[in-house]
Amino acid sequence: MPLPRGVYRADHVGSFLRPIAVKKARQDFANGRISSSELRAVEDQSISTIVENQLKSGIRSITDGEARRAWFHFDFLKQLGGIEIQGMIESSARASDGYSPPRLVVTGKLTYEKPIQVADFQYLNTQIKSTAAKFGEGNTYATPKVSIPSPTMVHFRGGRAGIDIDSYPDLDIFFADLATVYQMELASLYEAGARFVQFDDTNLAYLCDEKMRKEVALRNDDPSTLPRKYAQLINEAISKRPDDMTIGIHLCRGNYKSQWFASGGYEPVAKVLFQELNVDVYFLEYDDARSGDFAPLRFLPENKIVVLGLMSSKKRSLDDRDTIIKRLREAAAVCPRGLDQLCLSHQCGFSSTEDGNDLTEEEQWEKVRLEVSIAKEVWGDDLSK
C-alpha cells in the first residue's frame, strides 16, 4: 500500500532552528528599526537556505522551517477574528526558567478574515521548485508541507473561562464556528496548490499526563470525554477537504528550549486517536520513556500511517543507529501491517518557538542526515514507498 501523498519514510515535524539573521531581523522589526517588508526579505532568504538544506539532507517533505513564526501556534491563531493573546497561562507545567506561554482567549465571534498561510505556502513552493532543479532530475520530487496549529489549541488551556460567554453561551456553537474557520483556511490552501497539511496538537498528548488531566478536571472539563470532543472538532474541521489533500496530526508533550512539559503513554487517548480521528498520518513523539510503550499502536487501522518520532531534536548528541532500528522493529511487531505502516522522524521540530532547542544548526542537519540514512537502511533507497 503506497504512502499518503507527501509522507516519506524519513520525515520530520516541521520547524528548524531560526538562523541568526532571522532572529536579528525580528528583533530589529520589534524595535522599529526595519519595516515588515525588510523583515520578510530576510525570512525569504533564510527559507531558501532551509529548503536547500532539507533537500541536500535527503528530506522530501519540505517546510519553511516555520522561520516566519515566533511560536508554532500563536502566529497563526491570532490572525483569526475573535482571538486575542492576554497574559500568561497559569499552569504547573512551566519551563525551568519559570516561563509560561501566553494565554489565548476568545473575545468575540470567530471569523475568517483572510487566508493565513497561503502567501507563505506559495513562496515555499516556488523555492522548492527552483532549488530542487539544481540537484538534477533524481532530486526534483518533493512535497511542500504546511504545518498549522490544531484547532484544539484554541480551547484546551483556557476551557470555558477562556471563551467569551456573551459571544458563545453555547460551546457547541463555538466548536462549530472554530471548525468552520479551519475549513475556510484549508480551502484557501488547497486552491493555492497545497496538498499536505499537518495539525500540530499538544493537547491530545497532554491528556495522557495525570497531572494535566487533574488540571482539566479542576476547570470543569472531563479528561475522559475531551479526547472524543477534540476528535469531533478536528473531523469537522477537515470534513470538506478534497480527497487528494493529505491531513496529518502531530502529538507533542512540549518542546521549548530542549524541555518537555508532559509525560504519559498514549493509552488514555489511543482508541479515539487511531479509530475515530479521520486523519491520514500520525506524527507521534516516542523519543524516550515519557511516551510509554508501543502497545497503543494495536488500535492502528490498516489504512493509516504512523511517523514514529524515535529520534530526539532536544539533545545535541546523535541517536544510536542500532537502537533506533531495534525500536522501529519493536513498534512494527504491534502494527497490523508491520514496518509498512511506519516512517521515522525526530519527536518534534527543532524550534517549536523561535528560541530553538539546545544544539547548533550543523548538529541539527547532522541529525537529519542520520535519520535519512537509517530510513534507507530499513526501507530502501526510495523513501516514498
Side-chain angles (χ1 to χ4, degrees):
M1 186 172 180
L3 292 173
R5 179 173 182 163
V7 180
Y8 297 87
R9 296 298 182 186
D11 220 306
H12 71 116
V13 171
S15 67
F16 291 104
L17 294 172
R18 310 296 194 268
I20 293 173
V22 167
K23 290 185 176 182
K24 181 180 183 301
R26 292 182 71 87
Q27 192 63 47
D28 287 344
F29 175 70
N31 292 330
R33 289 193 288 265
I34 64 173
S35 66
S36 59
S37 60
E38 289 172 316
L39 169 60
R40 193 168 182 88
V42 174
E43 293 168 344
D44 285 350
Q45 182 57 50
S46 294
I47 289 167
S48 178
T49 301
I50 289 168
V51 168
E52 183 166 340
N53 282 335
Q54 286 173 86
L55 288 166
K56 282 181 177 178
S57 299
I59 291 291
R60 293 293 174 260
S61 178
I62 309 297
T63 72
D64 63 7
E66 299 179 16
R68 303 193 199 276
R69 302 185 197 177
W71 292 79
F72 79 93
H73 52 332
F74 292 126
D75 298 77
F76 178 94
L77 294 172
K78 68 183 182 182
Q79 296 188 63
L80 295 173
I83 292 180
E84 295 181 10
I85 296 175
Q86 295 180 0
M88 313 301 284
I89 290 173
E90 290 297 326
S91 173
S92 59
R94 287 180 174 266
S96 59
D97 59 7
Y99 188 72
S100 181
R103 176 173 172 263
L104 282 173
V105 294
V106 176
T107 58
K109 283 287 190 178
L110 296 175
T111 57
Y112 184 69
E113 304 294 316
K114 61 181 180 180
I116 299 173
Q117 288 294 138
V118 166
D120 294 349
F121 164 78
Q122 290 171 329
Y123 182 78
L124 171 65
N125 200 26
T126 298
Q127 289 305 300
I128 291 172
K129 290 177 180 178
S130 61
T131 306
K134 297 178 185 177
F135 299 125
E137 185 177 349
N139 290 289
T140 55
Y141 67 94
T143 304
K145 178 169 77 170
V146 179
S147 297
I148 63 176
S150 168
T152 70
M153 304 300 295
V154 181
H155 175 265
F156 180 76
R157 285 299 186 94
R160 168 74 269 184
I163 301 166
D164 179 57
I165 198 162
D166 291 327
S167 301
Y168 289 109
D170 183 342
L171 279 184
D172 286 341
I173 298 175
F174 159 75
F175 283 118
D177 284 355
L178 182 55
T180 296
V181 295
Y182 266 77
Q183 290 170 6
M184 296 171 77
E185 175 68 3
L186 291 177
S188 295
L189 283 166
Y190 186 85
E191 185 176 356
R195 295 297 182 267
F196 186 12
V197 176
Q198 173 186 295
F199 285 177
D200 290 322
D201 191 305
T202 62
N203 305 317
L204 286 167
Y206 283 0
L207 285 166
C208 299
D209 183 285
E210 281 305 315
K211 187 186 296 183
M212 291 197 176
R213 288 173 69 87
K214 289 177 182 176
E215 289 184 359
V216 167
L218 286 173
R219 60 176 181 258
N220 297 316
D221 278 314
D222 184 349
S224 64
T225 61
L226 205 51
R228 179 162 285 110
K229 185 67 178 177
Y230 284 167
Q232 292 168 350
L233 168 63
I234 293 169
N235 286 345
E236 186 61 24
I238 66 177
S239 61
K240 296 184 179 180
R241 58 148 169 172
D243 291 341
D244 61 341
M245 174 178 265
T246 300
I247 299 291
I249 188 167
H250 167 237
L251 269 61
C252 174
R253 294 168 178 80
N255 188 48
Y256 171 75
K257 293 184 177 181
S258 292
Q259 298 169 62
W260 51 268
F261 299 101
S263 299
Y266 293 100
E267 199 67 32
V269 302
K271 196 165 186 180
V272 170
L273 179 70
F274 293 128
Q275 298 189 351
E276 297 184 31
L277 193 57
N278 298 330
V279 299
D280 305 295
V281 56
Y282 304 88
F283 290 75
L284 298 184
E285 182 179 44
Y286 258 117
D287 60 321
D288 61 27
R290 287 181 305 108
S291 302
D293 60 25
F294 297 122
L297 296 178
R298 70 189 184 279
F299 293 112
L300 185 67
E302 291 191 7
N303 65 332
K304 294 191 177 185
I305 299 294
V306 168
V307 180
L308 278 181
L310 298 174
M311 304 177 75
S312 176
S313 70
K314 287 182 164 68
K315 61 185 183 181
R316 305 185 73 164
S317 58
L318 290 173
D319 292 278
D320 181 74
R321 174 188 291 267
D322 291 340
T323 299
I324 298 302
I325 293 175
K326 179 175 180 288
R327 295 196 71 206
L328 273 171
R329 299 197 184 283
E330 288 172 354
V334 182
C335 298
R337 292 193 292 111
L339 272 174
D340 195 41
Q341 283 186 275
L342 298 177
C343 301
L344 177 64
S345 75
H346 289 80
Q347 96 292 345
C348 194
F350 290 89
S351 194
S352 298
T353 72
E354 62 186 351
D355 308 272
N357 285 345
D358 185 21
L359 72 167
T360 67
E361 286 189 54
E362 180 48 41
E363 287 167 340
Q364 165 188 264
W365 294 116
E366 189 177 7
K367 282 174 168 286
V368 173
R369 290 191 292 270
L370 174 61
E371 177 203 323
V372 172
S373 174
I374 292 172
K376 287 183 176 181
E377 179 175 342
V378 173
W379 286 285
D381 285 338
D382 188 349
L383 299 181
S384 64
K385 293 183 178 179

